[in-house]
Amino acid sequence: SSFTATRVAALRPTSTKTTTTTRAMSRLATRVGSTNVAGRRRSTVAVRVLSTAASNAVNANPNSVGKDNSGAAIRARFLKFYESREHKVLPSSSLVPEDPTVLLTIAGMLQFKPVFMGQRERVTARATTTQKCVRTNDIENVGVTARHHTFFEMLGNWSFGDYFKEEAISMAWELLTEVYKLPKDRLYATYFGGDASQGLEPDLEAKAIWEKYLPASKVMPFDCADNFWEMGDVGPCGPCTEIHFDRIGGRDASSLVNMDDPNCLEIWNVVFIQYNREAGGVLKPLPNKHVDTGMGFERLASILQNKMSNYDTDVFMPIFKAIQNISGAAPYTGLLGKEDVGEKDMAYRVVADHIRTLSIAIADGAAPGSDGRNYVLRRVLRRAVRYGREKLGAKQGFFHKLVPILVKQLGDVFPELVTKQQHITEIIADEEESFGRTLQKGIEQFKKVVTAAQAEGRTVVTGAEAFLLWESFGFPADLTELMAEENGFTLDNAGFEQAFAEAQEKSRAAGKKSTGVELLFEAEATAWLQNNGVSPTNDSEKYAVGRPSHATAVKAILTPSGFVESTAAAEGPYGFVLESTTFYAESGGQVCDTGVISTATGSVAVADTKIAAGFVLHTGEVTGEVKVGDAAKADVDYERREKIMPNHTMTHVLNYALRKVMGDGIDQKGSLVDDEKLRFDFSNNKPLTLEQIADVERIVNEQIQANYAVDKREVPLEKAMSINGLRAVFGEVYPDPVRVVSVGPTIDELLANPSNDAWMNHSIEFCGGTHLVSTDAAECFVVLEETGTAKGIRRMTGATRGAAKKTTKFGQEIQAEVKACDNLSGDALDRELGRIRNLCDVSVMPVLIKEAIRADLATHSKRMLEAAKEAAAAAKQQALADVQAKAATTKSAGGKFFVATLADDTDANALREAAAHAFNEGIACTLLSNCKGKEFIYVSVPPEVNIDVKGWFAATSAPLGAKGGGGKNGVAQGQGPNVDAVSDAVAAAEAFAKLAL
């Protein structure tokens, strides 16, 4: 049920009520016309990797910029405009956010959220992007309307404590009217009209600015639901102003603003982030004021290209043409609602929209799967495939054939589509084929539902049955209802909604599990530190070589109730901001340092270290009393750190080794480095072979044995990006300057000749973690596991130093035990192989050793099987010879039956064939044999012998506790556990036969 609930939560909003949170999230999404749900993300606002993407977007179709209204020109004009006004053009962040609470990126502001939250300092004062976004909570409207999408681009510009309302509004007006040449008389603006219940005054400043450009009648106030943007229940927020456009013109459309009229629509939302919403709903001014804007690219294109639908623009028409060519359907005609007979055009819109979503999400590292964002993508894909096949008549396997046109459309803007085209195609094709099988299973399940209902005399498909089809087979309720109607049934829609609601409630309940009191170290806390004169923590000494004990001072103490002067003044947990520190705060996949902070009157056992806006917070259990202003000594647990460092450095080398073995298509998708292991996630569609794993392990160990120096230094980002062979995480953000970690060449050598091909033979990465001085300190490296985490994502786990040696030693000991099996046979060998096999399955050891053990076990199993076959054949021959002799003796003596105990391990087949000889000679017999710890019985009575075969078998079986059956054709057989009672069974069998005759 939790599995189901998790997937339900990924698809539907948790409430239909208008709350502060849902209204806030709506403001993120109404820039493109629908509701979304946002979450958290940690990052640094900085220049991103693959900056060519931003350059391509700005310079797309350079000859057409300013001369046409193609989608590429519209996008380029926006970015060029803000670039000319000192905004840094940044590439889109990944659709897969770092924050696990966010399924998919839904707005351009998410990459900048840490600045708004006070978790990171700004690196640039102004920025502009075209951001990849996905929303799926109202997916049922995609294809139905002219404006709903799952994937969309959000054009945006940001100011981080630089300009504010005057400049934001004036630049927006200039871009719309002077660059895009929109008619001024068709534009309308809204502003925040205030909320007395929250003590919020109307935003008269924004109103006054707008009235410089528009008549007062076209500048209208609205309430919090429409014009006050919030990130969530707590956090940065502020009033916003929206720009609306009247498609018709020549009229007063002010009454249609914010009325969801398709001809008078919002095109831009400009948010003025000036408050922080604290717990309990209290609003406090932020120390810095920011601007966050978002404009739907597809909607803007429809306006500038004079199209009533986003789908009628050149953003979608080439995709429609490809769909027609692949499916053979009639051309797209742009019809909606009842006019779209057969829902052909709706299907075109669904398929075109969804191939955009799937392709771009997969390029960013997601993939259709069974939970979270991956399940969202699976639902999107299944909806597209179903509409394509049902409404357009497309054949199985059509969907992945649309990837090339999508790459052609957006490859210049998002170059990851080009580099990942084959990967995207393979993932979609595989999932499409899988869904084809699931769809067939669902149809079979539906038939069972109908059959059961008919047997019960009902003509209604219950809500529970429909929900099962939805949850397990991807059948939406409308498909189940359609199939029901085709069979003379109706669907209990209310019951389906109830089942859905119950699943949602389970999801919410699962998400409310208490994790204890948590210290929030975000905007409110960092703003307090800044306002109270506390300087950001100097953590440069975290890279100090050796084991320094660091002298510092306590500058602030955070508790759940706020900042205090002493730990005696409030209940914990406690967090401590120091003047300077040697502790490493968790980031970049490396776990934080632990250790002890000591003062004259108390100490802190530091269990967690985190950083926000340059302030390092040390959290832990306090002994005694610690006060603000205390002189302190910071002592990192260096023994633990010295286990983490080789794992981190070898993670870099592993990344390099994978590229050498698997090719440049390998991209990092995540990592975890702690004191026990290293874990590295990377893109690859198939498991690595043992030979590939061996090559990777060998390359890493060669780098260790080479005793390469590990050089680390901050370098200007532009220079660092020019280094040949440098590996960086796609979609990650890096500060300028950025810290470069090079295994082998010195940083000076890299910068002196950045294009040198020799650098391709070394690990060179951006990283802020702690690393070795030289590779030999890692001592050795082993791969402990290679497994899949999602479609197209593999995970390799490894170990260094003591952990690697310990697991290797253990594996070698098991190998010795396998070798000792050479001297075993029969049951003893069987028992030992089972024990070792189970131990191998549950134990941690190098993959190569584990697989070698499994191969040796398989060899022994084969040997045992062959020996068993030989023994069975020999036993069969012996049994036949013994029965032939016994039958001959009995017959020559004028007897009618005999009872015989044959050699051990004579199996049932051998007993049957041996008894058949006696049967053919007209002699009845009961044969017994101890085989595999059981006493086997076979009774055979030819027609001419007057013995009841069932009675004879029963008499023989009783002492053995045997069970069996038969009686037909004169034979019966079975087996029993009481092998020590064979003599009693023989006596009983002989007595029964004598009495019968």
Side-chain angles (χ1 to χ4, degrees):
S1 62
S2 61
F3 174 66
T4 300
T6 299
R7 299 196 289 182
V8 172
L11 291 166
R12 293 259 180 120
T14 57
S15 174
T16 56
K17 296 180 181 179
T18 304
T19 63
T20 299
T21 303
T22 55
R23 284 197 306 268
M25 296 307 101
S26 294
R27 305 319 305 152
L28 282 174
T30 49
R31 301 168 184 173
V32 291
S34 65
T35 304
N36 288 282
V37 180
R40 298 178 179 176
R41 171 183 169 88
R42 297 195 310 269
S43 64
T44 301
V45 180
V47 180
R48 289 181 174 270
V49 181
L50 296 175
S51 59
T52 53
S55 176
N56 288 344
V58 174
N59 297 313
N61 297 332
N63 294 328
S64 67
V65 174
K67 296 180 181 179
D68 69 28
N69 283 322
S70 67
I74 292 168
R75 182 191 297 110
R77 237 177 284 171
F78 181 92
L79 298 174
K80 184 79 76 175
F81 175 83
Y82 280 102
E83 184 181 42
S84 69
R85 283 150 183 80
E86 301 178 345
H87 288 65
K88 182 69 177 180
V89 180
L90 302 180
S92 169
S93 60
S94 172
L95 274 181
V96 180
E98 295 174 4
D99 190 334
T101 67
V102 182
L103 289 179
L104 293 160
T105 298
I106 66 165
M109 57 74 60
L110 282 181
Q111 64 172 296
F112 306 120
K113 184 178 175 183
V115 173
F116 303 147
M117 296 293 289
Q119 297 168 333
R120 295 286 185 272
E121 294 183 30
R122 74 178 194 185
V123 178
T124 180
R126 302 181 178 196
T128 184
T129 71
T130 178
Q131 172 64 46
K132 298 172 289 189
C133 301
V134 165
R135 52 154 177 79
T136 60
N137 58 306
D138 56 358
I139 189 174
E140 66 275 7
N141 289 326
V142 175
V144 177
T145 73
R147 61 182 175 84
H148 278 86
H149 307 290
T150 53
F151 172 81
F152 59 91
E153 288 182 61
M154 185 174 285
L155 302 171
N157 60 285
W158 287 267
S159 165
F160 308 107
D162 187 12
Y163 62 80
F164 205 45
K165 296 180 184 180
E166 180 75 50
E167 297 89 340
I169 292 173
S170 66
M171 282 190 283
W173 178 260
E174 182 184 356
L175 176 63
L176 292 176
T177 61
E178 301 299 326
V179 177
Y180 288 135
K181 305 294 184 183
L182 289 181
K184 298 177 183 179
D185 60 356
R186 294 195 193 184
L187 293 171
Y188 297 78
T190 67
Y191 67 93
F192 179 53
D195 187 332
S197 66
Q198 299 189 62
L200 291 170
E201 296 293 329
D203 190 359
L204 299 180
E205 181 183 359
K207 177 179 183 291
I209 296 168
W210 272 119
E211 288 179 352
K212 296 179 183 179
Y213 306 104
L214 290 168
S217 61
K218 292 189 175 184
V219 182
M220 295 161 287
F222 285 87
D223 61 12
C224 281
D226 287 303
N227 279 81
F228 194 88
W229 180 90
E230 298 194 57
M231 191 174 291
D233 290 332
V234 296
C237 55
C240 63
T241 180
E242 298 171 344
I243 305 171
H244 295 249
F245 181 77
D246 178 19
R247 289 186 185 271
I248 306 300
R251 61 176 181 169
D252 181 3
S254 57
S255 63
L256 302 178
V257 171
N258 274 339
M259 296 303 291
D260 203 28
D261 188 301
N263 294 320
C264 185
L265 64 166
E266 177 197 339
I267 57 173
W268 207 343
N269 191 13
V270 180
V271 180
F272 307 119
I273 300 177
Q274 59 190 87
Y275 299 107
N276 186 66
R277 175 82 70 181
E278 298 182 356
V282 178
L283 285 171
K284 290 187 177 180
L286 286 172
N288 295 308
K289 298 178 180 180
H290 313 289
V291 172
D292 162 27
T293 88
M295 177 159 55
F297 165 68
E298 293 81 4
R299 184 174 295 184
L300 179 62
S302 74
I303 291 171
L304 293 176
Q305 294 178 19
N306 196 28
K307 303 293 184 181
M308 296 301 291
S309 166
N310 296 358
Y311 289 97
D312 291 340
T313 66
D314 68 346
V315 177
F316 286 94
M317 293 306 290
I319 305 178
F320 291 158
K321 184 63 177 176
I323 293 172
Q324 182 190 358
N325 291 338
I326 292 170
S327 68
Y332 178 74
T333 51
L335 299 178
L336 296 167
K338 294 181 180 179
E339 293 182 353
D340 182 20
V341 178
E343 298 182 334
K344 168 183 67 70
D345 289 344
M346 177 182 174
Y348 265 104
R349 291 186 288 269
V350 168
V351 173
D353 173 89
H354 292 3
I355 191 62
R356 284 162 40 104
T357 298
L358 266 298
S359 296
I360 293 171
I362 293 170
D364 280 355
S370 59
D371 59 0
R373 71 173 61 91
N374 294 336
Y375 186 66
V376 171
L377 296 178
R378 173 166 286 172
R379 297 282 299 169
V380 171
L381 182 141
R382 289 180 171 184
R383 185 171 187 259
V385 171
R386 187 170 62 83
Y387 270 90
R389 293 179 64 180
E390 289 182 12
K391 307 296 184 182
L392 299 177
K395 295 181 180 179
Q396 170 71 31
F398 81 95
F399 194 50
H400 71 273
K401 297 176 182 177
L402 295 171
V403 173
I405 185 60
L406 196 277
V407 173
K408 183 178 180 181
Q409 284 279 97
L410 291 175
D412 284 345
V413 186
F414 307 123
E416 59 273 15
L417 287 170
V418 178
T419 58
K420 294 293 183 181
Q421 180 172 346
Q422 182 178 350
H423 172 72
I424 296 166
T425 303
E426 290 174 355
I427 292 292
I428 292 178
D430 182 61
E431 184 69 18
E432 192 176 359
E433 181 182 357
S434 175
F435 178 51
R437 295 191 296 268
T438 301
L439 190 63
Q440 185 58 43
K441 291 178 181 177
I443 292 171
E444 292 171 2
Q445 178 64 28
F446 178 81
K447 290 178 180 178
K448 292 179 181 178
V449 168
V450 170
T451 301
Q454 289 171 335
E456 296 170 12
R458 59 183 169 91
T459 59
V460 177
V461 176
T462 69
E465 291 168 334
F467 183 77
L468 173 66
L469 287 166
W470 178 88
E471 188 272 333
S472 298
F473 301 100
F475 274 40
D478 60 349
L479 176 59
T480 301
E481 186 171 29
L482 178 63
M483 292 173 65
E485 291 172 353
E486 291 171 351
N487 287 270
F489 279 66
T490 59
L491 171 64
D492 178 10
N493 281 293
F496 175 79
E497 292 299 330
Q498 181 180 351
F500 205 107
E502 289 172 357
Q504 285 182 303
E505 184 57 37
K506 289 178 182 178
S507 176
R508 285 194 290 269
K512 291 179 179 178
K513 294 180 180 178
S514 174
T515 56
V517 179
E518 182 183 1
L519 281 179
L520 291 178
F521 195 49
E522 296 178 344
E524 180 185 358
T526 57
W528 187 95
L529 292 169
Q530 293 165 349
N531 293 339
N532 285 272
V534 179
S535 299
T537 310
N538 178 0
D539 65 347
S540 59
E541 289 301 306
K542 66 188 176 187
Y543 298 127
V545 177
R547 297 187 172 193
S549 181
H550 183 70
T552 183
V554 178
K555 305 301 291 183
I557 302 173
L558 178 63
T559 72
S561 59
F563 284 93
V564 298
E565 290 295 310
S566 167
T567 55
E571 293 293 325
Y574 303 100
F576 301 86
V577 177
L578 305 181
E579 183 177 53
S580 58
T581 186
T582 47
F583 282 77
Y584 179 84
E586 181 176 356
S587 64
Q590 179 178 328
V591 297
C592 68
D593 280 336
T594 59
V596 177
I597 298 171
S598 306
T599 70
T601 57
S603 64
V604 183
V606 179
D608 187 32
T609 311
K610 62 181 68 174
I611 187 169
F615 297 98
V616 178
L617 188 74
H618 309 74
T619 306
E621 187 173 341
V622 175
T623 301
E625 180 183 7
V626 179
K627 303 181 295 297
V628 173
D630 282 351
K633 184 175 68 171
D635 289 299
V636 171
D637 181 348
Y638 282 105
E639 183 175 346
R640 177 175 175 271
R641 163 108 56 102
E642 287 165 5
K643 294 177 181 177
I644 296 171
M645 289 163 60
N647 286 342
H648 199 158
T649 302
M650 290 307 110
T651 300
H652 286 213
V653 177
L654 174 61
N655 189 3
Y656 159 77
L658 283 166
R659 182 182 67 186
K660 291 288 287 185
V661 174
M662 306 299 294
D664 288 337
I666 296 298
D667 284 331
Q668 180 175 341
K669 295 300 179 183
S671 66
L672 173 66
V673 178
D674 60 28
D675 55 330
E676 297 179 345
K677 64 185 177 303
L678 61 93
R679 194 178 74 196
F680 188 78
D681 294 350
F682 57 97
S683 58
N684 202 52
N685 288 343
K686 298 178 182 179
L688 272 67
T689 65
L690 287 180
E691 291 76 12
Q692 289 170 330
I693 292 174
D695 286 343
V696 167
E697 196 173 277
R698 173 184 54 77
I699 291 170
V700 175
N701 281 300
E702 285 174 353
Q703 297 257 319
I704 292 172
Q705 294 157 12
N707 191 18
Y708 284 129
V710 182
D711 199 9
K712 321 100 179 167
R713 197 173 80 210
E714 286 193 347
V715 175
L717 184 61
E718 186 176 355
K719 289 186 177 181
M721 290 294 294
S722 69
I723 298 172
N724 190 26
L726 181 135
R727 298 287 281 176
V729 180
F730 168 73
E732 185 57 272
V733 292
Y734 297 100
D736 190 2
V738 63
R739 189 167 182 257
V740 177
V741 176
S742 173
V743 179
T746 66
I747 305 298
D748 286 337
E749 289 172 336
L750 297 176
L751 296 178
N753 187 8
S755 60
N756 192 334
D757 288 340
W759 307 151
M760 293 293 293
N761 297 318
H762 297 275
S763 167
I764 307 165
E765 295 191 24
F766 294 155
C767 183
T770 59
H771 286 274
L772 299 173
V773 174
S774 60
T775 58
D776 66 321
E779 298 178 5
C780 60
F781 169 81
V782 293
V783 176
L784 299 177
E785 184 180 41
E786 195 279 331
T787 187
T789 62
K791 268 192 173 67
I793 305 295
R794 306 298 300 176
R795 170 172 292 171
M796 187 169 282
T797 304
T800 63
R801 297 182 70 177
K805 294 175 181 177
K806 181 179 178 180
T807 58
T808 299
K809 182 175 182 293
F810 175 75
Q812 290 169 341
E813 290 171 352
I814 302 302
Q815 281 183 305
E817 293 179 12
V818 176
K819 179 65 177 174
C821 289
D822 290 347
N823 302 318
L824 299 178
S825 61
D827 289 344
L829 176 60
D830 191 25
R831 287 192 297 272
E832 185 66 358
L833 292 182
R835 182 190 71 81
I836 295 174
R837 188 176 292 110
N838 291 335
L839 183 62
C840 183
D841 289 342
V842 301
S843 299
V844 177
M845 67 180 76
V847 167
L848 297 178
I849 293 180
K850 179 173 285 192
E851 292 306 316
I853 290 172
R854 286 172 172 161
D856 289 343
L857 291 174
T859 299
H860 281 298
S861 294
K862 184 178 180 181
R863 174 171 68 87
M864 187 174 66
L865 180 62
E866 290 173 349
K869 287 180 178 179
E870 291 176 1
K876 182 177 178 180
Q877 290 298 320
Q878 185 62 48
L880 184 59
D882 290 346
V883 169
Q884 285 174 339
K886 192 71 174 175
T889 301
T890 300
K891 191 171 185 179
S892 64
K896 296 290 185 180
F897 77 94
F898 67 86
V899 178
T901 301
L902 302 182
D904 289 351
D905 295 325
T906 303
D907 62 21
N909 288 331
L911 291 174
R912 183 179 66 254
E913 292 191 22
H917 175 78
F919 187 96
N920 293 332
E921 293 294 322
I923 302 296
C925 67
T926 290
L927 306 179
L928 299 97
S929 173
N930 187 327
C931 185
K932 298 180 180 178
K934 299 281 184 73
E935 194 68 27
F936 279 49
I937 308 168
Y938 197 92
V939 177
S940 171
V941 181
E944 58 265 35
V945 180
N946 190 28
I947 300 177
D948 176 30
V949 65
K950 286 187 176 180
W952 201 12
F953 175 78
T956 309
S957 299
L960 299 173
K963 294 182 180 180
K968 292 182 179 180
N969 302 318
V971 298
Q973 61 181 328
Q975 54 183 280
N978 303 333
V979 294
D980 294 333
V982 174
S983 59
D984 294 336
V986 170
E990 289 180 341
F992 183 91
K994 288 177 181 178
L995 183 62
L997 295 175

